[in-house]
Amino acid sequence: MTSNVVSITENSKKAQNAIETLQALVADDMAAVNQTILDRMQSQVALIPQLAGHLIASGGKRLRPLLTLASARMLGYEGKRHVDIAAIVEFIHTATLLHDDVVDESDMRRGKETANNVWGNKPSVLVGDFLFSRSFELMVEDGSLKVLKILSSASSIIAEGEVLQLAVIGDLSVDEDTYLQVIEAKTAALFSAACEVAGVIAEAGHEKEAALRAYGANLGIAFQLIDDALDYSAKQATMGKAVGDDFREGKITLPVLLASRRGSDEEMTFWKRCMEEHDQKEEDLTQALALITKHQTIEATVNRARHYGDKAKDALAIFPANEARKALEDIVDFCIERAY
Amino acid sequence: MTSNVVSITENSKKAQNAIETLQALVADDMAAVNQTILDRMQSQVALIPQLAGHLIASGGKRLRPLLTLASARMLGYEGKRHVDIAAIVEFIHTATLLHDDVVDESDMRRGKETANNVWGNKPSVLVGDFLFSRSFELMVEDGSLKVLKILSSASSIIAEGEVLQLAVIGDLSVDEDTYLQVIEAKTAALFSAACEVAGVIAEAGHEKEAALRAYGANLGIAFQLIDDALDYSAKQATMGKAVGDDFREGKITLPVLLASRRGSDEEMTFWKRCMEEHDQKEEDLTQALALITKHQTIEATVNRARHYGDKAKDALAIFPANEARKALEDIVDFCIERAY
């Protein structure tokens, strides 16, 4: 067992290096993206940059725009459009986060108070709308209908996924495929679009665009699976995030879905009370964590994530081996090893 | 005085005829728009068409898409694009209404329970996002970057206006120009865009596009001024809307802004308690209505609206006199005479 722990820690360290390597690889581009974000979230209405800046400056990893920049780099793209496109992707993501935090009634994100907690739900809804509109204004400035099509479609799919997630909240009869449909829509669609648009601006052609789309989609699924595992993991607490948010909201994610399927009738009664009837006592989270451990559903969730991670890496096989491709492959491990 | 009442009633009847004339003029086109709206709000996620349909089928006047259709008709446009463009305008409007009702915590709209009241805030936020994204998908299908630019810019401006409105809520020191800035952004921007895009698809040229933009913007300001007057008018109650919503929310609209300016120090103390400190008793609305009557600020608001209505009509002078132009001129009176 000791050797296993050591190996996980080593993997975890290697994975952590992957995000730093990726950030270093496109550091100049990313500085330009950050500048564009700051410039374009300005408004005469002071509350807009205040509220948007609170979230945007809160030290997120900028994973989605990093994917756009690294994909462009992998393709040898030498133009300037990737900077605006990456900023657009981050604007869409930020708008989504602002609305998510309202919908989830979240207090904390990235170790900081959420905007809805500081300013209330109302400005969070409206500033989200502003950032979303602004992202379309930036797309129009870029001028590519193909980019507009990919990103407007992704936005629609994200919203559909969020509504579906809401519709099945507390519903333990939901099957794994419906759960997958939710995470494909709410998370993987933007990862996928973030990579695909790099192919479009680099004029990489149909096959490469499809490969980038597949890489992003599979990476996004893996990423969300790990996020959902982390919500029940002690690791989460060290990242400034609360453990058990999904449990308290009655969000049926894979660790709970599988635990309820694998458990006894008595355990199902427990899950139904907590998730469907939303009748939770303080000690219930401890019990939920014990059942998740008993049925090893964190491990199962991580294994599912590895499957999608493998598909993501294999999708990159058609690209020439270069530093950026290596960084995109390694970021798959980063997304998965976050679980440890 | 009797003759004045008769004249107002006659004007009111004439104005009511104006909307019916406009609706009849473009009835076929509008039927196509309604079909497009129904088709394109569909989703596998059942809650989306349910919630969107509740608002969309709730018997709104469809004023904004009517403006697009009538503008296209006035220009002699013979293509098909105006149908999708009009549906897009209504989608943006509907998304805005869904978010507005969440932000305003409204219970009723168009004489029906609001979506947020029936389904809660969360799906209203997300379905609003869906409709908004869908509107951009439709624009991309239309394929005109110029249309995309006008409508994405309008969307940004609307969101900015809503945030500004929120930022100045309960602030009696706000001046008339800031109030105007709010209503130009939150209402007039979409009226203006709805008309301008008709000019774009009809390839009417710079001067006519600018005239349509000016017509829509001035009409939108007049429309919102009257809406704000109606909130303090007995007429409102006959339209299935509550009287005094703005008062209860602490929204400083022109009737209150002017009444507080024209009144005594003692009256200002009353307004400050109600609007700034948000300390309202049940009889306060009656007192507010009495002060608004005393200082004739409904009349003043309607007069301001007439000014913008005149500008809107004059903006149409460059177009050939035809049935559609006449209908667009007459709709200005409809928007204003709603006050009576």
Side-chain angles (χ1 to χ4, degrees):
Chain A
M1 283 301 278
T2 313
S3 70
N4 190 27
V5 170
V6 170
S7 137
I8 284 173
T9 313
E10 273 171 9
N11 281 345
S12 174
K13 203 166 148 57
K14 233 176 88 186
Q16 185 54 41
N17 288 342
I19 185 85
E20 285 161 14
T21 304
L22 178 61
Q23 283 165 337
L25 183 71
V26 294
D28 289 354
D29 284 345
M30 199 63 210
V33 171
N34 284 330
Q35 193 54 53
T36 301
I37 288 172
L38 285 175
D39 290 348
R40 300 312 293 269
M41 74 183 193
Q42 291 311 315
S43 161
Q44 287 186 304
V45 183
L47 184 54
I48 291 177
Q50 270 168 32
L51 193 150
H54 174 82
L55 179 53
I56 285 175
S58 68
K61 292 178 294 295
R62 300 263 204 273
L63 187 52
R64 293 155 191 80
L66 279 173
L67 292 175
T68 306
L69 298 178
S71 299
R73 180 71 60 96
M74 179 175 69
L75 296 164
Y77 174 71
E78 290 188 339
K80 298 273 177 216
R81 290 168 62 197
H82 61 316
V83 169
D84 275 3
I85 300 285
I88 289 165
V89 166
E90 187 68 4
F91 270 155
I92 295 176
H93 177 54
T94 306
T96 311
L97 291 186
L98 285 172
H99 287 185
D100 273 3
D101 284 341
V102 169
V103 168
D104 293 345
E105 299 167 5
S106 309
D107 303 327
M108 299 288 283
R109 179 176 289 279
R110 299 174 181 162
K112 279 178 77 173
E113 267 191 285
T114 54
N116 50 304
N117 210 26
V118 179
W119 287 278
N121 285 338
K122 300 173 181 193
S124 285
V125 170
L126 299 173
V127 174
D129 290 349
F130 173 78
L131 291 177
F132 196 50
S133 304
R134 181 50 56 90
S135 79
F136 279 98
E137 286 190 283
L138 282 162
M139 283 178 237
V140 171
E141 286 176 29
D142 173 71
S144 160
L145 278 167
K146 200 164 171 189
V147 167
L148 270 156
K149 185 181 166 75
I150 291 165
L151 289 171
S152 61
S153 165
S155 298
S156 246
I157 292 170
I158 293 169
E160 267 183 313
E162 301 273 2
V163 178
L164 178 58
Q165 174 171 271
L166 203 60
V168 298
I169 226 162
D171 181 0
L172 277 164
S173 74
V174 77
D175 60 9
E176 188 170 337
D177 282 340
T178 304
Y179 163 77
L180 258 178
Q181 207 186 323
V182 169
I183 69 175
E184 275 172 8
K186 76 167 190 172
T187 306
L190 190 55
F191 274 73
S192 175
C195 299
E196 187 182 1
V197 288
V200 172
I201 59 169
E203 297 176 6
H206 179 72
E207 190 190 353
K208 286 182 178 163
E209 284 164 31
L212 285 166
R213 187 163 64 234
Y215 166 79
N218 284 295
L219 178 64
I221 295 172
F223 181 87
Q224 187 60 52
L225 281 162
I226 299 299
D227 249 25
D228 291 348
L230 275 168
D231 199 65
Y232 291 96
S233 145
K235 175 79 188 297
Q236 183 92 324
T238 67
M239 295 161 72
K241 291 181 185 177
V243 171
D245 275 347
D246 292 340
F247 181 74
R248 278 181 292 269
E249 289 162 26
K251 235 181 238 174
I252 316 287
T253 57
L254 199 58
V256 165
L257 191 66
L258 294 178
S260 69
R261 292 291 189 286
R262 293 178 179 182
S264 64
D265 288 354
E266 193 189 340
E267 287 172 20
M268 186 53 114
T269 307
F270 164 80
W271 290 116
K272 284 198 168 164
R273 172 173 62 75
C274 293
M275 308 304 273
E276 294 196 350
E277 297 156 31
H278 216 86
D279 166 19
Q280 296 186 5
K281 302 184 202 53
E282 207 174 319
E283 63 274 23
D284 285 337
L285 178 59
T286 309
Q287 168 69 356
L289 290 169
L291 293 176
I292 283 170
T293 304
K294 174 180 166 190
H295 296 295
Q296 300 188 295
T297 61
I298 295 294
E299 290 79 352
T301 303
V302 175
N303 284 337
R304 300 285 206 276
R306 287 194 203 286
H307 162 82
Y308 292 101
D310 288 343
K311 287 176 75 176
K313 284 187 195 175
D314 281 326
L316 295 179
I318 64 164
F319 296 101
N322 61 27
E323 220 180 352
R325 177 178 148 188
K326 179 71 169 59
L328 287 168
E329 284 167 357
D330 290 347
I331 210 68
V332 175
D333 296 320
F334 164 77
C335 288
I336 291 169
E337 300 300 330
R338 290 182 307 142
Y340 298 106
Chain B
M1 282 298 282
T2 313
S3 69
N4 190 26
V5 169
V6 168
S7 136
I8 283 173
T9 311
E10 274 170 10
N11 280 345
S12 174
K13 204 166 146 55
K14 232 177 85 186
Q16 185 57 39
N17 288 343
I19 185 86
E20 286 161 13
T21 304
L22 178 60
Q23 283 165 338
L25 183 71
V26 294
D28 290 352
D29 284 344
M30 200 63 208
V33 170
N34 284 331
Q35 194 54 53
T36 302
I37 287 173
L38 285 176
D39 291 346
R40 301 312 294 268
M41 74 183 192
Q42 292 311 313
S43 161
Q44 287 186 304
V45 183
L47 184 54
I48 291 176
Q50 272 169 32
L51 192 150
H54 174 83
L55 179 54
I56 286 176
S58 69
K61 294 177 294 295
R62 299 262 204 276
L63 188 52
R64 293 156 192 80
L66 279 172
L67 293 175
T68 305
L69 298 177
S71 299
R73 181 71 61 95
M74 178 175 70
L75 296 165
Y77 174 71
E78 291 187 338
K80 297 276 176 211
R81 290 169 61 197
H82 60 318
V83 170
D84 276 2
I85 301 285
I88 289 165
V89 166
E90 188 68 3
F91 270 156
I92 295 176
H93 178 53
T94 306
T96 311
L97 291 186
L98 284 173
H99 287 185
D100 273 4
D101 284 341
V102 169
V103 169
D104 292 345
E105 299 166 6
S106 307
D107 303 328
M108 300 287 284
R109 176 176 291 278
R110 299 174 182 163
K112 278 179 76 173
E113 267 189 285
T114 53
N116 49 303
N117 211 25
V118 178
W119 286 277
N121 285 339
K122 300 175 182 191
S124 287
V125 170
L126 298 174
V127 174
D129 289 348
F130 173 79
L131 292 176
F132 195 51
S133 303
R134 182 50 56 88
S135 79
F136 278 98
E137 285 189 283
L138 282 161
M139 283 179 235
V140 171
E141 286 175 30
D142 173 70
S144 159
L145 279 168
K146 201 165 168 185
V147 167
L148 270 156
K149 186 181 165 77
I150 291 166
L151 290 171
S152 61
S153 165
S155 298
S156 248
I157 291 170
I158 292 168
E160 267 182 314
E162 301 274 2
V163 178
L164 178 59
Q165 174 171 271
L166 203 59
V168 298
I169 227 162
D171 180 1
L172 278 163
S173 74
V174 77
D175 60 10
E176 188 171 339
D177 282 340
T178 304
Y179 163 78
L180 258 178
Q181 205 186 323
V182 169
I183 70 175
E184 276 171 5
K186 74 168 189 172
T187 306
L190 190 56
F191 274 72
S192 174
C195 298
E196 186 182 2
V197 288
V200 172
I201 61 169
E203 297 176 4
H206 179 73
E207 189 189 353
K208 287 183 177 161
E209 285 164 30
L212 285 165
R213 188 163 62 232
Y215 166 78
N218 284 295
L219 177 63
I221 296 172
F223 182 88
Q224 187 60 51
L225 281 161
I226 298 300
D227 249 25
D228 291 347
L230 275 167
D231 198 65
Y232 292 96
S233 146
K235 175 81 187 299
Q236 183 92 325
T238 69
M239 297 161 71
K241 291 181 186 178
V243 172
D245 276 347
D246 292 341
F247 181 72
R248 279 181 291 271
E249 290 163 24
K251 235 181 238 176
I252 316 287
T253 57
L254 199 59
V256 165
L257 190 67
L258 293 178
S260 69
R261 292 289 190 285
R262 292 177 179 184
S264 64
D265 289 352
E266 193 189 340
E267 288 171 19
M268 185 53 113
T269 306
F270 164 81
W271 290 116
K272 285 199 167 165
R273 171 171 64 74
C274 294
M275 308 304 272
E276 294 195 349
E277 297 156 30
H278 217 87
D279 167 18
Q280 295 186 7
K281 302 183 201 60
E282 208 174 319
E283 63 272 24
D284 285 337
L285 179 59
T286 309
Q287 168 69 356
L289 290 168
L291 293 176
I292 283 170
T293 304
K294 173 180 166 191
H295 296 294
Q296 301 187 297
T297 61
I298 294 293
E299 292 78 353
T301 302
V302 175
N303 284 337
R304 300 284 205 279
R306 288 194 203 284
H307 161 82
Y308 291 101
D310 289 343
K311 286 176 75 176
K313 285 187 194 173
D314 282 324
L316 296 178
I318 64 163
F319 297 100
N322 60 25
E323 221 180 347
R325 175 179 147 185
K326 178 75 168 58
L328 286 168
E329 283 166 358
D330 289 348
I331 210 65
V332 174
D333 296 321
F334 163 76
C335 288
I336 291 167
E337 298 303 328
R338 290 182 307 143
Y340 298 106

